[in-house]
Amino acid sequence: MSRTSEPSAPSAPSGPPHDEEQRLRELGYRPVLARRMGGFGNFAISFSVISVLSGCMTLYGFGMGAGGPAVMLWGWAGVGLFVLCVGLALAEVTSAYPTSGALYYMADRLGGRRWGWYTGWLNLLGLLGAIAGIDYGAALFTGAFANLRWGFEPTPGKTMLIFVAILMLHAVLNLFGVRLVSLLNSVSVWWHLGGVALIVGALAIVPDHHQSASFVFTRFVNETGWSNPVYVAAIGLLLAQYTFSGYDASAHLSEETSNASVSAARGIVRSIWVSWIAGFALLAGLTFAIQDYGATRGSATGVPPAQILLDGLGTDGACALLLVVIVAQLFCGNAEVAAASRMVFAFSRDKALPGSALWRRVSGRTQTPVAAVWLSVTVACVLALPSLYSATAYGAVTAINVIGITPAYAIPVYLRLRAGDRFRPGPWTLGRWSRPIGWIAVVWVAVVTVLFCLPQSSPVTVDSMNYASVALAVVLVLASVWWYVARRSYGTPTTAAYGTDREQAELAEGIV
């Protein structure tokens, strides 16, 4: 049964539910996914998706030219604080509505069908773009590793083959069920933390020369072509903001998490502050170890952090630590496939996607949305195909990720603020801090969404253009066009009797 009218008041419990499966039924869904993930596993999936060893390392070269060390370090500290506010506000709403649909379900309940619809499409395209961006970044680092180790030439074609192999690996791992996903994410946490400690420790001890604290914390570098230092510093904040994304994964896995009303909320917040600390240490360690700034920026490896490791530790040491980074990126991509596939499953369950009957199928053996997993990696592959012909395409894929996900984080928070006393919080709540933190989150997301769309280098050409605004426009146009096709069928449930008993039974068995 689809909802055809707007709710007069959102519904959420004021205290912790006695039974998460019952709470899910109250929200309108019959449980069909396996609830086999604990609180640590839920935190681990968001921490793995944020992945400082992926985001910071991949975007370090961008940061070197857009403000340099000072903006990278202080920008990370400041952006992390604002993102923590976004995470806190989003966690509160997640506690009230712990479903796989996450952001779009919250927006639908708090604002109505159209709010949910557009939030869902932004979130979905952002998640699929994230898979493409993360796994293509892992392919680039794998090519750099092979270049250092065996003289491999990472041409666009070869990089694409590596990328496809990584996508296939992640699809297969996700088909084994959420228990394996949870285990891999738990390993990923310690791998990331140990990897950061190993990289920072090695770069602190081994190199004979280190940059001064003055260089690391005050050196401003502008290689963007823009003359206004304030504008350049603002653009430089995007290194941190690009990295601090994906923590909605905890919400998307809530139907597979024990005590999800609390654990998913805690997972969001914990993943942000742990990443905040680890990322700052990593950026500082890399920057102190720079031997030649210009040579690092123009590294033949195509990956400036690889050049820092090479200069400071030699070929063998650089290869060993690059391998640590690559494995971390693989953990990151695997977690993102899990989050995106749950979003595909949930959106299809509410009949928002073409072919929804196929994408909402759940395996009776593993209780995993198999078709949704394959759709997620296939779309990610298609999004990255233009990288065969243009280096600019990778930046466009990243733009699809951030311009989709980031605004989607703020929409449920804004609607929760607008709802006022109509919103009844779950067991994890901010109390009297809810409104001030919520408004800080909404304003910050509005600011960075504008920053995402600004040109990042001058002069603006076809190759240097920032395609984020184009990506946003395309997503909104496509969502608007499909709305007029699917608006009669799309809708979140109003009661536990979502669909007929037969439909629900077939869904649980993986038939529909």
Side-chain angles (χ1 to χ4, degrees):
M1 182 185 298
S2 296
R3 185 161 58 89
T4 57
S5 60
E6 312 303 349
S8 58
S11 175
S14 58
H18 296 293
D19 182 350
E20 287 292 348
E21 303 288 52
Q22 179 57 33
R23 176 58 189 150
L24 187 59
R25 290 186 176 92
E26 291 170 3
L27 294 173
Y29 298 112
R30 180 171 301 201
V32 296
L33 301 176
R35 201 175 288 274
R36 295 171 181 164
M37 181 176 284
F40 184 82
N42 186 276
F43 146 72
I45 192 167
S46 283
F47 180 76
S48 297
V49 172
I50 293 174
S51 183
V52 294
L53 285 176
S54 178
C56 291
M57 300 292 274
T58 303
L59 295 163
Y60 191 84
F62 167 81
M64 291 183 74
V71 174
M72 282 195 286
L73 271 297
W74 292 113
W76 182 272
V79 169
L81 180 61
F82 284 113
V83 171
L84 184 60
C85 289
V86 178
L88 286 165
L90 185 62
E92 182 177 53
V93 189
T94 298
S95 179
Y97 305 108
T99 71
S100 295
L103 308 181
Y104 89 84
Y105 181 88
M106 303 171 198
D108 187 291
R109 282 306 195 205
L110 292 166
R113 295 174 71 230
R114 286 213 183 195
W115 280 104
W117 176 266
Y118 283 101
T119 302
W121 278 103
L122 286 171
N123 192 199
L124 178 61
L125 267 295
L127 288 167
L128 296 174
I131 297 174
I134 293 164
D135 281 1
Y136 196 83
L140 289 172
F141 269 73
T142 302
F145 172 82
N147 176 264
L148 288 176
R149 191 80 266 176
W150 303 294
F152 172 84
E153 183 183 355
T155 63
K158 292 176 181 177
T159 301
M160 182 59 64
L161 289 176
I162 297 171
F163 169 65
V164 172
I166 291 172
L167 286 176
M168 292 295 293
L169 171 66
H170 288 156
V172 171
L173 288 174
N174 271 271
L175 296 182
F176 281 99
V178 74
R179 184 168 290 169
L180 177 61
V181 171
S182 182
L183 174 62
L184 291 174
N185 288 330
S186 297
V187 174
S188 171
V189 171
W190 303 112
W191 186 275
H192 274 81
L193 295 177
V196 169
L198 186 61
I199 292 170
V200 173
L203 291 176
I205 296 170
V206 177
D208 295 328
H209 170 72
H210 289 90
Q211 299 292 341
S212 66
S214 175
F215 174 90
V216 171
F217 294 104
T218 65
R219 176 71 180 272
F220 182 84
V221 178
N222 177 13
E223 297 178 2
T224 64
W226 300 106
S227 58
N228 189 320
V230 175
Y231 183 89
V232 174
I235 294 300
L237 296 178
L238 296 183
L239 178 153
Q241 189 63 50
Y242 280 138
T243 304
F244 277 117
S245 63
Y247 44 87
D248 57 315
S250 289
H252 289 295
L253 272 291
S254 59
E255 288 184 34
E256 295 159 87
T257 301
S258 301
N259 193 26
S261 298
V262 174
S263 296
R266 286 178 177 168
I268 291 171
V269 176
R270 189 181 303 169
S271 67
I272 294 171
W273 70 256
V274 174
S275 298
W276 189 16
I277 296 170
F280 188 86
L282 179 62
L283 290 173
L286 288 169
T287 309
F288 271 111
I290 293 174
Q291 304 298 305
D292 184 319
Y293 202 91
T296 299
R297 270 280 283 154
S299 173
T301 66
V303 181
Q307 191 64 47
I308 295 174
L309 298 175
L310 189 63
D311 292 343
L313 308 175
T315 302
D316 290 340
C319 286
L321 293 184
L322 266 181
L323 194 58
V324 170
V325 173
I326 291 167
V327 173
Q329 292 174 332
L330 294 177
F331 279 128
C332 174
N334 190 63
E336 186 65 28
V337 169
S341 63
R342 272 50 175 190
M343 175 61 194
V344 170
F345 159 76
F347 219 27
S348 298
R349 182 172 58 182
D350 290 329
K351 302 177 182 178
L353 297 181
S356 287
L358 173 62
W359 313 126
R360 71 186 186 189
R361 288 183 178 177
V362 176
S363 166
R365 182 174 61 85
T366 63
Q367 293 179 274
T368 299
V370 174
V373 170
W374 285 114
L375 178 65
S376 299
V377 297
T378 300
V379 174
C381 184
V382 171
L383 288 175
L385 281 178
S387 298
L388 281 169
Y389 311 103
S390 170
T392 308
Y394 179 64
V397 169
T398 304
I400 292 172
N401 170 17
V402 297
I403 205 63
I405 282 183
T406 306
Y409 289 157
I411 293 172
V413 176
Y414 165 73
L415 293 174
R416 175 261 175 277
L417 293 169
R418 193 181 72 165
D421 293 338
R422 293 192 299 117
F423 173 78
R424 285 174 284 174
W428 195 98
T429 177
L430 297 173
R432 62 191 179 91
W433 292 100
S434 179
R435 294 190 69 80
I437 289 177
W439 281 116
I440 291 172
V442 170
V443 171
W444 173 250
V445 169
V447 169
V448 296
T449 299
V450 173
L451 291 183
F452 282 143
C453 296
L454 296 176
Q456 296 170 3
S457 60
S458 178
V460 179
T461 65
V462 172
D463 287 333
S464 65
M465 179 179 173
N466 181 357
Y467 287 92
S469 56
V470 177
L472 179 61
V474 168
V475 171
L476 294 177
V477 168
L478 290 176
S480 297
V481 170
W482 188 246
W483 167 259
Y484 289 101
V485 176
R487 69 185 187 277
R488 295 187 184 278
S489 60
Y490 163 74
T492 59
T494 54
T495 69
Y498 175 60
T500 66
D501 288 341
R502 180 178 177 180
E503 286 175 336
Q504 287 292 340
E506 289 176 341
L507 181 59
E509 294 170 4
I511 296 175
V512 300

